Amino acid sequence: MTAPSSHPTTRPSAHAVCPGSFDPPTLGHLDVIGRAAGLFEQVTVAVLINPAKEGMFALDERLELLAATTADWPNVVIDSFQGLLVDYCRDHGINAIIKGLRAVSDFDYELQMAQMNSGLTGVDTLFMPTSPEFSFISSSLVKQVAGYGGEVSAYLPPVVHDALRRKL
Ligand code: PNS
């Protein structure tokens, strides 16, 4: 099959990035990261360094929690980045961004970002539907529920749950 002339033929990407805040990583994040690890030769989990938003977990804590919870996947590496995601992708030879979609409500903003990122450097975004059992989980909701004493162990890897309990 011949590629349309408007779509230059490039080498298939074997390196994808799962970007995010991961404050903290949840089972929903790990669901997407693990499935991406089954599809790509290498997956980089890239934690956004956001000086404007401190978060509950420091950057080092997030990196440690992600390293601990992805240790069983040898093709997953953990890193952090500052600035534009597309610049990070270009500098690291990544041309696929993986985003988990929990519900239709995620779609509008994610589509906007995917199209902006594609417009900036041509990097493609692949949307991965979150497994149904994780579709309502978010880091912020988990923190809120835990902050009021609710039980959130079903939504977090044990090492993250322990870390969250220590914070509270
Ligand atoms: O877990 P989050 O907070 O939903 O992740 C959002 C993230 C980090 C993927 C997004 O904010 C991002 O890519 N930030 C980097 C800055 C950037 O590239 N902005 C332009 C997006 S079109």
Side-chain angles (χ1 to χ4, degrees):
M1 199 175 92
T2 312
S5 55
S6 60
H7 295 86
T9 310
T10 54
R11 225 176 113 253
S13 171
H15 188 177
V17 64
C18 292
S21 302
F22 303 104
D23 183 37
T26 68
L27 288 180
H29 291 128
L30 291 170
D31 168 51
V32 170
I33 295 167
R35 285 158 60 208
L39 293 170
F40 288 85
E41 278 174 27
Q42 189 179 341
V43 172
T44 295
V45 180
V47 183
L48 175 68
I49 301 169
N50 186 352
K53 199 174 154 198
E54 202 178 314
M56 177 183 273
F57 289 84
L59 175 67
D60 284 355
E61 294 175 305
R62 297 179 207 186
L63 296 174
E64 275 171 29
L65 291 172
L66 281 166
T69 51
T70 61
D72 287 345
W73 297 311
N75 59 336
V76 173
V77 298
I78 311 302
D79 198 6
S80 57
F81 75 105
Q82 216 163 359
L84 286 179
L85 178 60
V86 291
D87 290 340
Y88 180 84
C89 292
R90 188 198 50 226
D91 294 347
H92 293 80
I94 294 167
N95 52 4
I97 299 169
I98 307 288
K99 289 291 191 78
L101 287 185
R102 289 166 297 195
V104 178
S105 51
D106 283 342
F107 183 72
D108 277 353
Y109 186 49
E110 290 295 345
L111 179 66
Q112 213 180 352
M113 284 198 287
Q115 291 173 332
M116 175 61 84
N117 285 332
S118 171
L120 288 169
T121 63
V123 66
D124 265 320
T125 297
L126 304 181
F127 293 132
M128 186 176 275
T130 307
S131 298
E133 63 269 37
F134 304 125
S135 64
F136 58 92
I137 303 175
S138 71
S139 299
S140 44
L141 204 52
V142 164
K143 284 184 288 189
Q144 186 191 114
V145 171
Y148 287 110
E151 180 55 61
V152 292
S153 57
Y155 314 127
L156 298 171
V159 65
V160 177
H161 187 240
D162 290 347
L164 181 59
R165 284 177 57 156
R166 285 196 295 276
K167 290 272 173 207
L168 301 169

